[in-house]
PDB file of all heavy atoms in Angstrom:
ATOM      1  N   HIS A  12     100.370  99.374  96.396  1.00  0.00           N
ATOM      2  CA  HIS A  12     100.804  98.004  96.718  1.00  0.00           C
ATOM      3  C   HIS A  12      99.979  97.478  97.887  1.00  0.00           C
ATOM      4  O   HIS A  12     100.221  97.813  99.038  1.00  0.00           O
ATOM      5  CB  HIS A  12     102.298  97.994  97.069  1.00  0.00           C
ATOM      6  CG  HIS A  12     102.876  96.622  97.278  1.00  0.00           C
ATOM      7  ND1 HIS A  12     103.752  96.026  96.380  1.00  0.00           N
ATOM      8  CD2 HIS A  12     102.713  95.721  98.276  1.00  0.00           C
ATOM      9  CE1 HIS A  12     104.098  94.831  96.833  1.00  0.00           C
ATOM     10  NE2 HIS A  12     103.480  94.617  97.984  1.00  0.00           N
ATOM     11  N   HIS A  14      97.827  93.736  99.237  1.00  0.00           N
ATOM     12  CA  HIS A  14      97.482  92.327  99.013  1.00  0.00           C
ATOM     13  C   HIS A  14      95.997  92.136  99.303  1.00  0.00           C
ATOM     14  O   HIS A  14      95.619  91.583 100.341  1.00  0.00           O
ATOM     15  CB  HIS A  14      98.332  91.434  99.916  1.00  0.00           C
ATOM     16  CG  HIS A  14      99.796  91.492  99.622  1.00  0.00           C
ATOM     17  ND1 HIS A  14     100.428  90.584  98.798  1.00  0.00           N
ATOM     18  CD2 HIS A  14     100.748  92.375 100.013  1.00  0.00           C
ATOM     19  CE1 HIS A  14     101.719  90.895  98.714  1.00  0.00           C
ATOM     20  NE2 HIS A  14     101.942  91.979  99.432  1.00  0.00           N
ATOM     21  N   VAL A  39      98.292  93.537  94.319  1.00  0.00           N
ATOM     22  CA  VAL A  39      99.358  92.600  93.956  1.00  0.00           C
ATOM     23  C   VAL A  39      98.960  91.183  94.332  1.00  0.00           C
ATOM     24  O   VAL A  39      98.121  90.964  95.220  1.00  0.00           O
ATOM     25  CB  VAL A  39     100.703  92.973  94.633  1.00  0.00           C
ATOM     26  CG1 VAL A  39     101.190  94.334  94.152  1.00  0.00           C
ATOM     27  CG2 VAL A  39     100.605  92.931  96.155  1.00  0.00           C
ATOM     28  N   ASN A  41     100.821  87.084  94.896  1.00  0.00           N
ATOM     29  CA  ASN A  41     102.118  86.469  95.196  1.00  0.00           C
ATOM     30  C   ASN A  41     102.458  85.269  94.333  1.00  0.00           C
ATOM     31  O   ASN A  41     103.620  84.865  94.265  1.00  0.00           O
ATOM     32  CB  ASN A  41     102.190  86.075  96.673  1.00  0.00           C
ATOM     33  CG  ASN A  41     102.375  87.289  97.567  1.00  0.00           C
ATOM     34  OD1 ASN A  41     102.820  88.342  97.108  1.00  0.00           O
ATOM     35  ND2 ASN A  41     102.042  87.153  98.841  1.00  0.00           N
ATOM     36  N   HIS A  66     106.117  86.276  94.056  1.00  0.00           N
ATOM     37  CA  HIS A  66     106.902  86.876  95.144  1.00  0.00           C
ATOM     38  C   HIS A  66     108.266  86.182  95.260  1.00  0.00           C
ATOM     39  O   HIS A  66     108.337  84.952  95.213  1.00  0.00           O
ATOM     40  CB  HIS A  66     106.129  86.751  96.455  1.00  0.00           C
ATOM     41  CG  HIS A  66     106.656  87.619  97.546  1.00  0.00           C
ATOM     42  ND1 HIS A  66     107.845  87.357  98.184  1.00  0.00           N
ATOM     43  CD2 HIS A  66     106.164  88.757  98.094  1.00  0.00           C
ATOM     44  CE1 HIS A  66     108.051  88.303  99.099  1.00  0.00           C
ATOM     45  NE2 HIS A  66     107.047  89.166  99.057  1.00  0.00           N
ATOM     46  N   GLU A  92     103.440  90.951  93.072  1.00  0.00           N
ATOM     47  CA  GLU A  92     104.684  91.395  93.634  1.00  0.00           C
ATOM     48  C   GLU A  92     105.819  90.557  93.085  1.00  0.00           C
ATOM     49  O   GLU A  92     105.769  89.329  93.134  1.00  0.00           O
ATOM     50  CB  GLU A  92     104.614  91.277  95.167  1.00  0.00           C
ATOM     51  CG  GLU A  92     105.872  91.696  95.880  1.00  0.00           C
ATOM     52  CD  GLU A  92     105.612  91.956  97.387  1.00  0.00           C
ATOM     53  OE1 GLU A  92     104.466  91.810  97.851  1.00  0.00           O
ATOM     54  OE2 GLU A  92     106.578  92.311  98.067  1.00  0.00           O
ATOM     55  N   HIS A 130     109.729  94.346  95.026  1.00  0.00           N
ATOM     56  CA  HIS A 130     110.247  94.095  96.370  1.00  0.00           C
ATOM     57  C   HIS A 130     111.782  94.044  96.275  1.00  0.00           C
ATOM     58  O   HIS A 130     112.313  93.383  95.396  1.00  0.00           O
ATOM     59  CB  HIS A 130     109.662  92.739  96.802  1.00  0.00           C
ATOM     60  CG  HIS A 130     110.085  92.195  98.112  1.00  0.00           C
ATOM     61  ND1 HIS A 130     109.235  92.147  99.191  1.00  0.00           N
ATOM     62  CD2 HIS A 130     111.245  91.625  98.517  1.00  0.00           C
ATOM     63  CE1 HIS A 130     109.854  91.568 100.215  1.00  0.00           C
ATOM     64  NE2 HIS A 130     111.075  91.245  99.833  1.00  0.00           N
ATOM     65  N   HIS A 153     108.697  99.244  95.938  1.00  0.00           N
ATOM     66  CA  HIS A 153     107.779  99.266  97.064  1.00  0.00           C
ATOM     67  C   HIS A 153     108.574  99.105  98.356  1.00  0.00           C
ATOM     68  O   HIS A 153     109.515  98.316  98.410  1.00  0.00           O
ATOM     69  CB  HIS A 153     106.725  98.171  96.838  1.00  0.00           C
ATOM     70  CG  HIS A 153     106.605  97.150  97.906  1.00  0.00           C
ATOM     71  ND1 HIS A 153     105.878  97.363  99.047  1.00  0.00           N
ATOM     72  CD2 HIS A 153     107.121  95.904  98.014  1.00  0.00           C
ATOM     73  CE1 HIS A 153     105.951  96.276  99.804  1.00  0.00           C
ATOM     74  NE2 HIS A 153     106.702  95.389  99.209  1.00  0.00           N
ATOM     75  N   ASP A 201     100.774  98.150 101.657  1.00  0.00           N
ATOM     76  CA  ASP A 201     101.242  96.768 101.818  1.00  0.00           C
ATOM     77  C   ASP A 201     100.334  96.012 102.782  1.00  0.00           C
ATOM     78  O   ASP A 201     100.780  95.100 103.470  1.00  0.00           O
ATOM     79  CB  ASP A 201     102.706  96.694 102.273  1.00  0.00           C
ATOM     80  CG  ASP A 201     103.348  95.340 101.936  1.00  0.00           C
ATOM     81  OD1 ASP A 201     102.771  94.584 101.135  1.00  0.00           O
ATOM     82  OD2 ASP A 201     104.416  95.033 102.508  1.00  0.00           O
ATOM     83  N   GLY A 202      99.065  96.418 102.833  1.00  0.00           N
ATOM     84  CA  GLY A 202      98.118  95.699 103.665  1.00  0.00           C
ATOM     85  C   GLY A 202      97.969  94.267 103.181  1.00  0.00           C
ATOM     86  O   GLY A 202      98.120  94.015 101.987  1.00  0.00           O
ATOM     87  N   PHE A 204      99.962  93.445 105.644  1.00  0.00           N
ATOM     88  CA  PHE A 204     101.225  93.212 106.362  1.00  0.00           C
ATOM     89  C   PHE A 204     101.625  94.401 107.226  1.00  0.00           C
ATOM     90  O   PHE A 204     102.111  94.237 108.346  1.00  0.00           O
ATOM     91  CB  PHE A 204     102.343  92.836 105.382  1.00  0.00           C
ATOM     92  CG  PHE A 204     102.063  91.533 104.686  1.00  0.00           C
ATOM     93  CD1 PHE A 204     101.741  91.489 103.344  1.00  0.00           C
ATOM     94  CD2 PHE A 204     102.054  90.341 105.410  1.00  0.00           C
ATOM     95  CE1 PHE A 204     101.438  90.287 102.713  1.00  0.00           C
ATOM     96  CE2 PHE A 204     101.757  89.139 104.794  1.00  0.00           C
ATOM     97  CZ  PHE A 204     101.443  89.116 103.444  1.00  0.00           C
TER      98      PHE A 204
HETATM   99 MN1   MN B 301     103.851  93.086  99.701  1.00  0.00          MN
END
Side-chain angles (χ1 to χ4, degrees):
H12 186 109
H14 296 265
V39 297
N41 286 339
H66 195 288
E92 179 163 0
H130 177 109
H153 123 82
D201 202 14
F204 296 110

